[in-house]
Amino acid sequence: MLNFTVGPVQESEEVLEVGAQPTPYFRNQSFSKIMLENEAMMKELTFSDEESRVVFLTASGTGAMEAAVMNSFTSDDKVLVVNGGSFGKRFVQICQIHQIPYTEITVPMEEPLTKEMLEPYDGRDYTGFLINMHETSIGKLYDINMVSEFCKKNNLFLVVDAVSAFLAEPLNLSELGIDIMLTGSQKALAVPPGVSVLVMNKRAVDRAYNLDVRSMYFNLADALKNGERGQTPFTPAVGILLQIHRRLEELCKAGAIAENKRIADLAADFRKKVKDLPFRIFSPSPSNAVTAMIMENGKSAYALFELLESDYGMWICPNGGDLKDKIFRVGHLGALTFEDNDRLVEAMKQALERL
Ligand SMILES: *Cc1c(COP(=O)(O)O)cnc(C)c1O
């Protein structure tokens, strides 16, 4: 199958090879070394400060979202949450469950996040800001520079869910003053799901150490302490961490900027090639990770997904709920090429005639 979904994405031969190996014992020097290298490579790829730390959680991206909130905020905080789709809504639910006072900034589906939407909250008593840099559900990228400026001005603790934005967009944690950035193994890291990664600056590390989190598994202070020697409090997804290691080595060779450009070029190439097809890009601020497209010929987007899957050996990503028949998404993360784009576009042309 050719995989154009937004996760798990197409994996490289090298990553698959590592996955085929038996799982080694991990409470030893050689695994610790791998984990310490994983930490250093993540810091390099995210342009984070020297004293930043990285936690690898055996949990999907949502686990890292929840851990970030639980280990950074208490009921004494007051956070702003950008809600522009299903991932934004997830942060809202996490705040509700953990009783963190919050205000929701709702972004209408076909509008970008603007300065005017933030203005009412400028100079008020907020302490934190939660945002999904890229609202993957509808392919909408937020202006992280604008958000960063706002947070610096208001001294807000900034948590960025970059699960689908890491590597797909320019992202310099140190410059942007991002306190916690989180991502997941099945997006641009292009390995199987199961591990999420939190990159925490000094302020975030201090906060986690000083907060009395009521959780055993999602205790980041415990993870940070164990991580100092390259270990984890509990048995991690050892095999996936080895695949991450392999992938990070590759990425560091070329650098984050080169991978960012590669993904951006793939996205631009796909958009150019579908110009004459009956689709329109849905988002007002599209990302490089995903192209969300709305069907303009009255045919069902979900039927297109099904036909590509059953007859052409390709996966695009359907949407759920009200958007099911209207919108589909094509991902540009992972081991995909321009030729793969050609194959997809050709299959789409044939499928459209048959729908
Ligand atoms: C994929 C994704 C997640 C993580 O979802 P999981 O299913 O928990 O891995 C979180 N946020 C965004 C923006 C995503 O794209």
Side-chain angles (χ1 to χ4, degrees):
M1 291 293 283
L2 249 188
N3 186 350
F4 291 92
T5 68
V6 287
V9 301
Q10 190 86 11
E11 293 149 1
S12 68
E13 287 302 323
E14 291 78 13
V15 160
L16 293 173
E17 244 169 56
V18 175
Q21 300 306 310
T23 311
Y25 182 63
F26 70 103
R27 295 289 188 208
N28 60 12
Q29 284 298 325
S30 69
F31 189 70
S32 291
K33 180 168 172 283
I34 283 180
M35 289 302 284
L36 291 172
E37 287 172 3
N38 278 348
E39 173 160 20
M41 290 190 284
M42 274 306 298
K43 282 168 67 168
E44 182 182 328
L45 291 169
T46 52
F47 305 93
S48 28
D49 299 330
E50 194 41 50
E51 69 268 69
S52 296
R53 293 289 314 280
V54 181
V55 169
F56 295 87
L57 270 185
T58 294
S60 83
T62 307
M65 291 169 75
E66 188 162 21
V69 172
M70 291 168 74
N71 287 269
S72 305
F73 303 114
T74 69
S75 56
D76 293 333
D77 282 286
K78 195 170 159 196
V79 304
L80 289 165
V81 187
V82 174
N83 181 358
S86 53
F87 290 106
K89 188 167 166 227
R90 203 166 290 184
F91 264 144
V92 170
Q93 288 173 318
I94 291 169
C95 289
Q96 286 168 350
I97 289 167
H98 296 285
Q99 302 182 329
I100 312 298
Y102 69 93
T103 302
E104 202 173 327
I105 303 173
T106 311
V107 187
M109 198 142 63
E110 293 195 65
E111 287 177 38
L113 175 71
T114 61
K115 244 191 170 120
E116 291 67 42
M117 293 178 191
L118 299 180
E119 238 160 42
Y121 312 104
D122 196 5
R124 303 266 302 270
D125 57 345
Y126 290 94
T127 60
F129 197 104
L130 301 175
I131 187 166
N132 321 92
M133 181 165 161
H134 171 224
E135 178 51 73
T136 322
S137 60
I138 49 173
K140 187 196 288 186
L141 183 70
Y142 297 124
D143 182 348
I144 197 69
N145 293 307
M146 177 181 83
V147 168
S148 154
E149 233 169 80
F150 178 83
C151 289
K152 281 180 182 168
K153 178 162 179 254
N154 287 281
N155 191 30
L156 304 183
F157 188 93
L158 175 57
V159 175
V160 177
D161 162 3
V163 175
S164 61
F166 169 58
L167 295 173
E169 316 295 337
L171 186 58
N172 184 316
L173 300 196
S174 166
E175 262 176 38
L176 293 166
I178 292 173
D179 293 291
I180 300 184
M181 182 226 76
L182 59 98
T183 189
S185 54
Q186 80 274 30
K187 304 280 168 84
L189 282 174
V191 305
V195 169
S196 54
V197 189
L198 298 116
V199 182
M200 306 165 69
N201 68 8
K202 178 150 192 325
R203 180 156 80 151
V205 170
D206 288 347
R207 222 180 244 223
Y209 272 123
N210 288 311
L211 194 147
D212 192 17
V213 65
R214 297 183 66 83
S215 169
M216 178 173 233
Y217 197 76
F218 289 120
N219 184 326
L220 292 183
D222 196 8
L224 287 162
K225 188 88 204 102
N226 278 273
E228 284 174 7
R229 58 186 174 98
Q231 285 290 325
T232 52
F234 315 107
T235 308
V238 175
I240 294 170
L241 287 162
L242 293 174
Q243 288 176 299
I244 287 178
H245 187 259
R246 180 65 208 256
R247 175 78 171 126
L248 288 175
E249 281 182 334
E250 264 170 47
L251 287 167
C252 283
K253 246 182 253 159
I257 292 167
E259 178 65 0
N260 177 205
K261 181 176 183 307
R262 198 187 66 78
I263 296 170
D265 288 349
L266 267 179
D269 176 68
F270 172 76
R271 288 164 198 176
K272 194 179 75 204
K273 286 172 179 162
V274 291
K275 269 235 150 66
D276 297 331
L277 298 187
F279 314 137
R280 171 172 62 81
I281 294 183
F282 179 66
S283 166
S285 50
S287 68
N288 294 321
V290 174
T291 307
M293 308 211 89
I294 186 157
M295 294 286 268
E296 289 198 306
N297 60 354
K299 302 261 170 72
S300 159
Y302 196 80
L304 177 64
F305 154 73
E306 286 185 314
L307 191 56
L308 288 171
E309 179 183 51
S310 62
D311 287 20
Y312 296 91
M314 293 181 197
W315 280 309
I316 58 171
C317 207
N319 268 64
D322 297 344
L323 299 174
K324 183 176 168 193
D325 289 311
K326 297 188 183 120
I327 287 177
F328 65 86
R329 290 167 296 161
V330 172
H332 311 296
L333 303 179
L336 293 168
T337 64
F338 292 110
E339 292 71 38
D340 293 332
N341 279 346
D342 288 333
R343 289 183 194 104
L344 175 63
V345 174
E346 183 50 38
M348 280 176 155
K349 282 180 184 160
Q350 291 183 24
L352 281 168
E353 291 192 358
R354 295 171 56 196
L355 279 180

